[in-house]
Amino acid sequence: GRPADRDPGRIMMQAAAKRASAVQRSTFFSMLRVKDCLELNDEKAKLTDAAINRVKDEISREADDLIEKKTSLLPADCERAPAHLQMAALALSAQRTLLRNAAGGDEYKMVDNFEVRWVVAGALGVVAPPDGDEPWAVPVNYVPNRLTMVITGSVWLPEQRKSMITRMLSNWRVDLGKAFETEPIEPEPSCRMTKCLYTDFLQEAGGAEAEVLIPVFHALHSATFKGVHRFTSSEEPGRDGTPMPVFRFE
């Protein structure tokens, strides 16, 4: 047989994953509102594009360092895991770098962890109020999910609804890959996440900057099912006491 590293299908998947990773990084930085964190005390002054690019370069370099140090978290033979690791690394690097820059000079207004998280989460498509309230993801799937439930009759037919949700969960697990795991809970097909690469990465990194980002990534998970009839999400302590996402379909 052909060696795995020369298999055309595998080569194509790796190339696609590399392109997706580049797009993910570019999108993150295009959505990262650096000016909202690094506000100048002099209201007549303006943060220059050069200063913004310098901060973004700093974030990018630190994210690469974090990725290199945490590759042990990546499961073998999982093409999707590196993109998830990169997203977590970019978020943590941005949180740390923006806080560090804001505190490093008298020219900037003071900001706290939650105010910076508001900006970082926004680059991920999550609303994390600067007052520290619970984050929630932009529900881009709400309308498609609701329409699918109505068209298929899942709103009124319990067995049809269960079948549709089971398919959704299966597709979601495939999309996440091997770095994430769930276990069933009642009522079926509800589940609890038992392994989450985002959570593992942020817990290993440690510090207040990492801790405030964990609910942001949990909110991303729950956004997948918004619009599904009688769906609720929450966080509950896992086996080791770590808060983990729980998805209930009543």
Side-chain angles (χ1 to χ4, degrees), residues 189-236:
S190 303
C191 63
R192 175 189 294 109
M193 188 162 272
T194 56
K195 181 177 177 60
C196 172
L197 177 60
Y198 304 136
T199 305
D200 292 344
F201 169 82
L202 292 167
Q203 283 193 318
E204 278 201 13
E209 301 96 338
E211 184 179 344
V212 298
L213 290 174
I214 292 176
V216 171
F217 284 96
H218 290 180
L220 274 177
H221 288 309
S222 66
T224 305
F225 307 105
K226 294 297 183 183
V228 173
H229 187 52
R230 296 171 65 184
F231 163 72
T232 59
S233 61
S234 62
E235 284 187 336
E236 296 180 6

Side-chain angles (χ1 to χ4, degrees), residues 112-172:
D112 63 26
N113 229 344
F114 289 118
E115 290 170 320
V116 173
R117 184 182 71 166
W118 173 60
V119 171
V120 174
L124 300 172
V126 175
V127 178
D131 60 3
D133 278 357
E134 194 70 20
W136 53 274
V138 177
V140 294
N141 291 327
Y142 183 91
V143 172
N145 286 344
R146 180 63 69 177
L147 284 174
T148 299
M149 294 208 72
V150 172
I151 292 169
T152 61
S154 299
V155 174
W156 305 282
L157 303 173
E159 286 304 313
Q160 182 69 19
R161 175 175 174 273
K162 180 179 176 181
S163 176
M164 190 200 82
I165 294 171
T166 300
R167 287 195 302 272
M168 288 180 65
L169 285 165
S170 178
N171 292 336
W172 171 68

Side-chain angles (χ1 to χ4, degrees), residues 51 178 181 224 227:
K178 298 177 182 178
E181 296 175 2
T224 305

Side-chain angles (χ1 to χ4, degrees), residues 173-186:
R173 291 184 181 106
V174 169
D175 185 59
L176 287 176
K178 298 177 182 178
F180 303 82
E181 296 175 2
T182 63
E183 64 180 8
I185 60 172
E186 294 295 333

